[in-house]
Amino acid sequence: MSESLSLTGIGPPSETKEQKSKSYSVNVPLENVSLNANGSPPYDPHAHRILEHPTTNSETLIHLLKGSLGTGILAMPNAFYNSGLLIGTVGTLLIGFLCTYCLHVLVRSQYKLCKKLRVPILSYPDSMKYALKDGPTFLRFGVPLSALIVDGFLIVYQLGICCVYIMFIGSNIKEVLDIYITPMDQRYYMIMILLPLVAINLIRNLKLLAPFSQVANIVTFAGLAIVLWYVFTDLPPISSRPLVGEPRKYTLFVGTTLFALEAVGVVLALENNMKTPASFGGSTGVLNTGMVAITIMYVAMGFFGYVKYGESAKGSVTLNLPQGDILAQSVKIIFAFAIFITYALQAYVPVEIIWNTYMKERLQNWNKTTMEYLLRISVVIVTFLLAVFIPRLELFISLFGALCLSVLGIAFPAIIEICVLWPEREFGRFNYVLWKDVLLIVIGVLALVLGTYISVEDIIRSF
């Protein structure tokens, strides 16, 4: 993703003549604009965005697809093992629909907030804060802490992704090197990559990572093609796998699938950087087009990956590939390299939130560059220690999917929509929007509580 993208979606500063000359803004034909009571056109946030490098619809779609083809799709065969073929297929389609719908709710609510506040862009934390201010009275107590809570979930989620990435890299390197040297615990391979991870995370300018990211994207698509070739070679009959899995493991399936499909921060960043943001939503917009393609790919990988490997399906399908094949070894190294590069991009997000929001202005008497470097090193060490002490890739993926994305991707968008519509009570006939959002909140909380409980219980059992 380009340097201009940010998971927090922080809006640009006020316009200056210099910015206007260098940036792109949306021009809306006056004949298509209705006027306010005072004769002036209503404020359109899309028309006031200042973007130096806006992305086209096709570029945004490519970014959305690229951002979804990583460790998440590789974990889908294991997710289907926890659900069975039928439950997995139907469940993935439903979760894909749910995630997409909630993203529409969030983007639509943010647009209404921006229009009301007359600002071009709002970050996710600010959206929650300003929405709660006008929401139901019993929710307004959360205004002072709302931004901190959203930031907290974003930080925890991003740190969780970094933990998963470290385990992924270590396990794939182990699969290759164990053939040539005396087999070792994968923790030793994680230790070997610690210093390189620290080094790459000390890069403060993302432009320096851009060439590596492009190479990583290319090899990722090549790696996926090779994985699918292995999956479809000598594929067992579909009847050899159960249609329904063990009910207790359904929450693990939900957590893993949420982790794979939900990308609320990335989606907000993409929408905020579009040349024509109005094209993002809609029935045939960029979001629906991308999510339909992504969901179909995830169903296909999960379904046929589980048919191929059955109960042996591991946290990453790359770990199921033949250990002795040179082609399979190359795939594992390809994905390990791609995820190593992506680690720096994922770690950039919590560093940006922690540093810019909570540390930078409070360290007036300190060397800020030194403190930022220490923060970057600390992020790597914390994620490394968590990965080393809990080396269960599939359980970690499920845990962070249930812990964070059930709230960030489902419950919070519903709360924001209720609060945005509350002053005018624009809930439709029989208040169906209100009841729909209450149901989404209940679903998000249940996924959070049950998914987190079972994931933690299984992690404890794994020791």
Side-chain angles (χ1 to χ4, degrees):
M1 227 168 265
S2 64
E3 185 182 11
S4 61
L5 300 186
S6 165
L7 290 189
T8 52
I10 298 172
S14 58
E15 300 179 37
T16 65
K17 290 183 179 179
E18 181 182 359
Q19 284 176 315
K20 288 181 180 179
S21 66
K22 294 169 59 180
S23 305
Y24 175 91
S25 61
V26 181
N27 294 315
V28 182
L30 289 178
E31 61 269 20
N32 295 335
V33 176
S34 59
L35 300 181
N36 287 326
N38 59 8
S40 62
Y43 182 86
D44 182 9
H46 294 164
H48 290 78
R49 289 186 181 178
I50 304 299
L51 304 172
E52 290 194 15
H53 305 289
T55 56
T56 63
N57 292 355
S58 58
E59 289 170 338
T60 303
L61 180 59
I62 291 171
H63 275 304
L64 184 59
L65 293 174
K66 277 194 307 187
S68 301
L69 299 178
T71 55
I73 192 170
L74 297 175
M76 289 307 296
N78 179 262
F80 271 59
Y81 160 65
N82 289 320
S83 64
L85 290 177
L86 178 61
I87 299 296
T89 300
V90 176
T92 303
L93 292 173
L94 288 176
I95 292 173
F97 171 80
L98 180 64
C99 291
T100 305
Y101 178 77
C102 289
L103 289 170
H104 277 290
V105 168
L106 182 56
V107 171
R108 185 169 62 241
S109 299
Q110 282 191 316
Y111 179 81
K112 291 181 178 180
L113 269 177
C114 289
K115 194 172 182 179
K116 179 180 179 180
L117 298 172
R118 301 183 69 82
V119 295
I121 295 177
L122 280 174
S123 68
Y124 197 168
D126 284 342
S127 297
M128 177 64 82
K129 180 175 68 176
Y130 289 116
L132 288 176
K133 283 183 178 180
D134 291 331
T137 306
F138 68 90
L139 289 178
R140 294 177 188 173
F141 77 93
V143 172
L145 294 177
S146 58
L148 178 63
I149 291 172
V150 175
D151 277 338
F153 275 107
L154 283 170
I155 291 169
V156 170
Y157 172 56
Q158 292 300 136
L159 293 179
I161 291 178
C162 291
C163 293
V164 171
Y165 281 8
I166 291 174
M167 287 184 280
F168 180 90
I169 297 168
S171 58
N172 278 273
I173 293 177
K174 170 181 168 60
E175 286 280 312
V176 175
L177 293 186
D178 277 0
I179 301 174
Y180 303 102
I181 63 176
T182 303
M184 297 189 297
D185 191 290
Q186 76 177 48
R187 294 180 178 91
Y188 292 108
Y189 295 104
M190 295 181 193
I191 293 173
M192 293 178 188
I193 64 173
L194 176 59
L195 288 181
L197 286 172
V198 169
I200 197 170
N201 201 44
L202 292 180
I203 299 175
R204 300 164 66 196
N205 186 349
L206 290 184
K207 284 186 179 180
L208 297 177
L209 288 174
F212 296 99
S213 296
Q214 287 301 104
V215 173
N217 288 328
I218 294 171
V219 299
T220 296
F221 281 103
L224 282 173
I226 297 172
V227 167
L228 289 173
W229 182 81
Y230 274 105
V231 166
F232 285 104
T233 300
D234 297 325
L235 190 70
I238 294 175
S239 58
S240 63
R241 307 300 177 201
L243 296 178
V244 179
E246 183 182 340
R248 182 187 176 277
K249 294 182 178 180
Y250 288 170
T251 54
L252 297 178
F253 161 77
V254 171
T256 302
T257 308
L258 272 177
F259 181 92
L261 280 172
E262 183 62 80
V264 58
V266 173
V267 168
L268 290 180
L270 291 175
E271 192 271 345
N272 287 344
N273 284 269
M274 283 187 69
K275 184 177 182 179
T276 55
S279 302
F280 190 75
S283 57
T284 58
V286 173
L287 178 58
N288 280 357
T289 303
M291 289 302 292
V292 166
I294 290 166
T295 302
I296 291 173
M297 286 190 289
Y298 276 51
V299 169
M301 178 64 81
F303 187 96
F304 291 107
Y306 178 49
V307 170
K308 174 71 173 181
Y309 298 111
E311 62 183 18
S312 300
K314 298 183 180 179
S316 168
V317 70
T318 57
L319 303 179
N320 288 108
L321 302 184
Q323 205 168 9
D325 286 11
I326 296 297
L327 187 59
Q329 293 174 22
S330 68
V331 170
K332 294 169 187 176
I333 296 300
I334 281 173
F335 278 110
F337 168 76
I339 296 302
F340 173 79
I341 298 299
T342 311
Y343 177 95
L345 301 177
Q346 298 290 354
Y348 181 87
V349 177
V351 168
E352 182 185 45
I353 296 174
I354 296 170
W355 178 249
N356 290 327
T357 307
Y358 302 101
M359 289 184 65
K360 191 175 182 179
E361 299 303 321
R362 292 177 171 84
L363 298 174
Q364 299 295 338
N365 300 322
W366 297 76
N367 185 309
K368 293 186 177 181
T369 301
T370 301
M371 295 305 296
E372 184 180 350
Y373 279 131
L374 288 175
L375 172 62
R376 291 177 174 275
I377 294 172
S378 300
V379 165
V380 177
I381 292 176
V382 168
T383 55
F384 166 78
L385 291 176
L386 286 172
V388 165
F389 285 111
I390 313 177
R392 289 293 303 276
L393 182 63
E394 66 278 8
L395 295 180
F396 231 107
I397 289 175
S398 178
L399 171 63
F400 282 102
L403 179 63
C404 298
L405 294 178
S406 56
V407 175
L408 289 173
I410 300 175
F412 283 176
I415 292 174
I416 290 174
E417 183 175 52
I418 289 175
C419 293
V420 169
L421 300 179
W422 187 261
E424 285 78 28
R425 304 296 197 276
E426 299 174 344
F427 295 117
R429 192 176 185 182
F430 304 119
N431 291 324
Y432 80 93
V433 175
L434 176 63
W435 294 114
K436 175 264 300 178
D437 285 335
V438 169
L439 178 62
L440 289 177
I441 294 170
V442 171
I443 292 173
V445 172
L446 284 176
L448 167 69
V449 174
L450 295 177
T452 302
Y453 173 78
I454 291 179
S455 295
V456 170
E457 185 180 48
D458 284 351
I459 287 173
I460 293 173
R461 286 180 178 177
S462 69
F463 281 99

